[in-house]
Amino acid sequence: MASEERRAERAEIEYKAYEDEHDLPVVMDLVASELSEPYSIFTYRYFIASWPGLCWMAYSRGKCVGAIVCKLDDHRGVFRGYIAMLVVAKTHRKYGIGTELVRRSLKVMREAGADECVLEAEECNRGALALYQHLGFIRDKYLVRYYLNGVNAFRLKLLLPQEVVDKHRAALPDEAKKRIEKAATDYEARLQKDEAAAADKEAETEAAVASETAANLE
Ligand SMILES: CC(C)(COP(=O)(O)OP(=O)(O)OC[C@H]1O[C@@H](n2cnc3c(N)ncnc32)[C@H](O)[C@@H]1OP(=O)(O)O)[C@@H](O)C(=O)NCCC(=O)NCCS
């Protein structure tokens, strides 16, 4: 395609938030044609039905050429965004579409009070690793044989600055604020309970060993 036409087409890209079930097959077809990992309809429904505001599509001349699917929920007391799928059609790569789709999802996550956002990417996926690195994501974990095809992966993470989290949380409705705070305190309580149970168990074992030793010495 001539560079002028590419430029014109690039300028015409439109971004659209997921609206309803009519969008589902469009997203599924694009993801299936561009990603190596197969997903069932249940996986799509799980993400999109629960977090429709975190699914965005990019359109070029009436055709869907990019999509992102994410979620946002409690993870061990942290309010964590997760990018499950990001795809751009081969014909439209390097137009900035992938970056824009991630930016839009991150904005929704930030405004909902997220602490962080994570995703996994194959260790050989140079394009995705570079895209996320430009957006400030770091390599948080190395995941051996993470994908069904046996390929290793990186977990990438973007930590949102505390002042950004505080600012957006303060603007949330009370109910949402309380839900996030409760998840964090519940997790803290669960940790303390587990620690107390582990300490009891250790004390029990020590007492049993001491009494056995004493019996053997008699
Ligand atoms: C990864 C993917 C989503 C990138 O989409 P895109 O719209 O082409 O990305 P962008 O145009 O926003 O690129 C942003 C930056 O990422 C980097 N990048 C993107 N593709 C790259 C590639 N193939 N090689 C190296 N760097 C690349 C570049 O630094 C680019 O900035 P630049 O164009 O200014 O140099 C797209 O290649 C894709 O759909 N791949 C297959 C599915 C996939 O791997 N999804 C990610 C799963 S974690």
Side-chain angles (χ1 to χ4, degrees):
M1 199 189 293
S3 65
E4 211 149 287
E5 200 187 329
R6 271 177 76 89
R7 259 202 303 280
E9 193 173 1
R10 188 176 176 162
E12 286 169 19
I13 308 285
E14 284 176 11
Y15 295 89
K16 169 173 133 40
Y18 181 88
E19 267 170 31
D20 55 35
E21 284 275 312
H22 293 102
D23 290 329
L24 191 60
V26 177
V27 174
M28 285 177 63
D29 284 352
L30 182 68
V31 174
S33 67
E34 304 288 344
L35 275 189
S36 63
E37 191 86 345
Y39 295 103
S40 74
I41 176 95
F42 304 108
T43 305
Y44 287 98
R45 281 197 199 285
Y46 164 71
F47 283 104
I48 300 179
S50 311
W51 297 275
L54 286 170
C55 175
W56 285 87
M57 289 164 284
Y59 275 82
S60 171
R61 300 177 180 175
K63 188 168 171 270
C64 180
V65 293
I68 189 166
V69 174
C70 318
K71 71 171 180 168
L72 176 62
D73 61 3
D74 172 60
H75 174 82
R76 300 182 177 190
V78 170
F79 200 34
R80 173 185 269 191
Y82 177 72
I83 301 178
M85 304 168 203
L86 169 68
V87 286
V88 174
K90 285 189 189 69
T91 46
H92 288 73
R93 291 191 185 164
K94 298 285 224 136
Y95 280 17
I97 297 175
T99 301
E100 183 59 26
L101 289 168
V102 176
R103 283 215 171 102
R104 285 178 184 242
S105 301
L106 285 176
K107 182 168 185 282
V108 178
M109 290 177 193
R110 252 194 329 266
E111 288 172 354
D115 291 295
E116 62 181 30
C117 176
V118 301
L119 68 129
E120 291 87 28
E122 290 184 357
E123 68 173 336
C124 55
N125 192 340
R126 285 182 38 224
L129 294 175
L131 182 155
Y132 284 112
Q133 191 177 330
H134 284 166
L135 289 168
F137 284 74
I138 54 153
R139 294 178 187 190
D140 185 46
K141 263 190 195 158
Y142 186 62
L143 306 162
V144 177
R145 297 177 64 81
Y146 179 76
Y147 288 101
L148 291 177
N149 59 8
V151 169
N152 304 327
F154 285 110
R155 166 140 326 120
L156 306 180
K157 183 184 275 189
L158 179 75
L159 283 173
L160 295 167
Q162 196 57 50
E163 63 271 20
V164 172
V165 177
D166 291 344
K167 183 183 119 192
H168 288 293
R169 290 239 178 118
L172 289 178
D174 283 349
E175 200 190 315
K177 251 187 270 184
K178 278 193 195 131
R179 213 175 31 240
I180 297 173
E181 277 159 21
K182 185 173 179 318
T185 48
D186 283 356
Y187 180 68
E188 188 57 37
R190 212 161 58 233
L191 273 187
Q192 281 174 9
K193 209 168 136 201
D194 289 352
E195 271 171 26
D200 285 352
K201 184 97 191 125
E202 203 179 319
E204 222 172 80
T205 311
E206 274 171 14
V209 170
S211 106
E212 202 179 315
T213 309
N216 286 341
L217 288 174
E218 274 171 12

